């Protein structure tokens, strides 16, 4: 009897334990993948760089970037190489970015870059390199910043290769790099001819085009004052599903701060196309984006898409 009682008691406890485990399992299993599972933070930054000590430039290592991200509530950041000779004062190669981010891939997301003018690099060679970088962990292509027209056959071949691999292309557009004319007809031809690729616009020429009434020189500037009707950006958003905007750098901030009323309305109207970004690349760099977009007091669901969810969706990040 005693034995039976003992067995019963043990059986009861086992059954109870199994029951709670099952309940717990059901609860965990039933919980959908949610934002809680991503690294914590208000933002995903679509545009940062790491830097080596070069001339008077101070280095910026992965640990420094992570500390800065913690201080600014940034959960994850895309780290962009700079390989085009027009892009920076020294090359930041894809291999450097891969190596530096290797121990922090939950928070630092590497992109890769190839110069479209690279000698002896065949069309197939470009594809092989992109696949190699993808296997190594890269989630996109950029920063594309070559001294060629946006609509250039060498660019088109590279963009087509990115589409085949599934890389979004983050490009810098001004009067020196990925050049175009007011109204952005070159970019429009690219969007039309490579509809399978996804593009992310950045820099002065792109952001000046939030406004109409532009002259060529404006594509290298930070125009002030009221945004005029007829801007190429809204037209491209309305016509092509494959173009997004990176709000980083002085150019991105200026496009919204020059006319805050228009800026806030633009955030709401085109919330599905906007990606939060800073272009942080140097210690002590001043970044206006945090205060600026906070001052717009955007609805919670607009903030969620713009500040983090659009980027995660576009890059296929999972928790
Ligand atoms: Zn940059």
């Amino acid at each position: 009897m005693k034995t039976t009682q003992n067995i019963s008691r043990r059986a009861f406890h086992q059954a109870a334990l199994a029951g709670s485990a099952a309940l717990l399992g059901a609860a965990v299993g039933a919980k959908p993948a949610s934002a809680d599972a991503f690294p914590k933070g208000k933002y995903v930054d679509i545009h940062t760089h790491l830097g080596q000590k070069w001339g008077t430039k101070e280095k910026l290592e992965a640990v420094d970037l992570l500390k800065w991200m913690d201080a600014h509530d940034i959960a994850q950041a895309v780290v962009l190489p700079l390989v085009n000779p027009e892009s920076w004062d020294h090359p930041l190669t894809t291999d450097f970015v891969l190596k530096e981010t290797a121990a922090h891939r939950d928070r630092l997301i590497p992109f890769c870059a190839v110069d479209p003018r690279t000698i002896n690099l065949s069309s197939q060679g470009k594809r092989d390199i992109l696949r190699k970088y993808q296997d190594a962990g890269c989630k996109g292509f950029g920063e594309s910043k070559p001294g060629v027209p946006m609509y250039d056959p060498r660019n088109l071949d590279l963009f087509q290769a990115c589409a085949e691999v599934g890389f979004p292309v983050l490009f810098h557009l001004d009067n020196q790099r990925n050049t175009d004319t007011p109204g952005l007809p070159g970019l429009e031809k690219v969007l039309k001819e490579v509809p399978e690729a996804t593009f992310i616009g950045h820099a002065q020429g792109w952001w000046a085009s939030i406004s109409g009434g532009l002259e060529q020189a404006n594509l290298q500037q930070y125009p002030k004052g009221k945004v005029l009707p007829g801007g190429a950006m809204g037209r491209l958003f309305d016509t092509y599903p494959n173009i997004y905007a990176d709000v980083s750098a002085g150019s991105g901030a200026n496009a919204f701060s020059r006319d805050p009323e228009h800026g806030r309305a633009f955030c709401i109207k085109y919330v599905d196309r906007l990606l939060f970004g800073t272009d942080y690349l140097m210690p002590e760099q001043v970044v206006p984006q945090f205060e600026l977009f906070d001052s717009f007091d955007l609805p919670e669901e607009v903030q969620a898409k713009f500040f983090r969810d659009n980027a995660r969706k576009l890059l296929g990040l999972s928790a």
Side-chain angles (χ1 to χ4, degrees):
M1 189 64 188
K2 201 179 173 193
T3 310
T4 314
Q5 268 182 341
N6 281 349
I7 288 169
S8 301
R9 203 178 295 129
R10 193 161 62 232
F12 171 79
H13 282 299
Q14 279 170 349
L17 279 173
S20 12
L23 278 173
L24 198 66
V28 169
K31 196 177 170 196
S34 73
D36 307 350
F38 283 108
K40 288 213 183 320
K42 181 174 171 182
Y43 303 102
V44 173
D45 188 336
I46 197 74
H47 196 138
T48 72
H49 302 279
L50 292 170
Q52 295 150 329
K53 171 89 179 139
W54 190 265
T56 55
K57 295 256 160 50
E58 289 303 320
K59 68 181 175 186
L60 182 75
E61 292 184 346
V63 286
D64 306 318
L65 180 58
L66 287 164
K67 251 184 241 165
W68 174 81
M69 287 164 62
D70 289 340
H72 293 279
D73 210 9
I74 300 174
Q76 293 166 293
V78 168
V79 180
L80 302 166
L82 291 167
V83 304
N84 313 111
E86 296 87 354
S87 44
W88 190 229
D89 61 2
H90 64 288
L92 296 170
T93 66
T94 303
D95 292 308
F96 168 74
V97 168
L98 283 169
K99 186 164 152 269
E100 293 291 309
T101 57
H104 316 281
R105 290 287 169 76
D106 55 331
R107 298 189 66 198
L108 302 183
I109 301 144
F111 269 31
C112 61
V114 175
D115 193 290
R117 298 158 296 183
T118 308
I119 198 161
N120 291 342
L121 184 60
S122 66
S123 204
Q124 185 56 47
K126 283 176 197 155
R127 283 149 177 82
D128 292 346
I129 285 179
L130 294 184
R131 293 255 180 233
K132 188 190 85 171
Y133 287 145
Q134 187 171 47
D135 292 344
C138 290
K139 300 286 185 195
F141 184 89
E143 180 169 355
S144 156
K145 211 172 172 182
V148 305
M150 188 69 199
Y151 187 79
D152 179 287
R154 297 161 295 182
N155 252 352
L156 286 177
D157 186 39
L158 198 44
F159 297 156
Q160 186 61 50
C162 287
E164 289 165 27
V165 173
F167 279 160
V169 177
L170 191 152
F171 65 86
H172 177 118
L173 188 155
D174 63 15
N175 282 341
Q176 292 175 281
R177 284 72 58 102
N178 288 319
T179 56
D180 206 345
T181 53
L184 305 180
L187 173 60
E188 181 159 12
K189 281 204 282 181
V190 168
L191 295 174
K192 232 184 252 178
E193 289 184 28
V194 198
E196 307 84 7
T198 301
F199 295 89
I200 305 169
H202 157 73
Q204 295 97 311
W206 165 253
W207 279 113
S209 306
I210 197 169
S211 177
L214 296 184
E215 292 172 8
Q216 188 66 45
N218 297 140
L219 299 188
Q220 192 69 50
Q221 296 167 343
Y222 304 84
K224 300 292 177 199
K226 285 266 173 210
V227 167
L228 303 177
M233 193 181 290
R235 182 175 51 80
L236 295 177
F237 282 156
D238 292 339
T239 316
Y240 304 93
N242 54 331
I243 177 79
Y244 289 74
D246 153 10
V247 304
S248 73
S251 55
N254 179 67
F256 292 89
S257 62
R258 61 182 284 184
D259 184 349
E261 201 184 324
H262 178 274
R264 186 176 189 278
F266 194 86
C267 285
I268 293 169
K269 182 171 183 188
Y270 292 114
V271 60
D272 291 326
R273 306 301 185 92
L274 299 183
L275 304 168
F276 181 84
T278 62
D279 209 350
Y280 188 70
L281 77 167
M282 276 185 293
E284 312 301 324
Q285 186 179 330
V286 175
V287 172
Q289 273 77 9
F290 303 111
E291 225 180 281
L292 172 65
F293 292 114
D294 272 354
S295 77
F296 284 0
D297 194 22
L298 294 164
E300 205 50 55
E301 63 275 17
V302 171
Q303 292 192 36
K305 282 183 172 185
F306 173 15
F307 292 165
R308 32 179 205 279
D309 294 348
N310 289 347
R312 285 181 174 143
K313 201 166 146 192
L314 190 65
L315 303 179
L317 301 182
S318 50

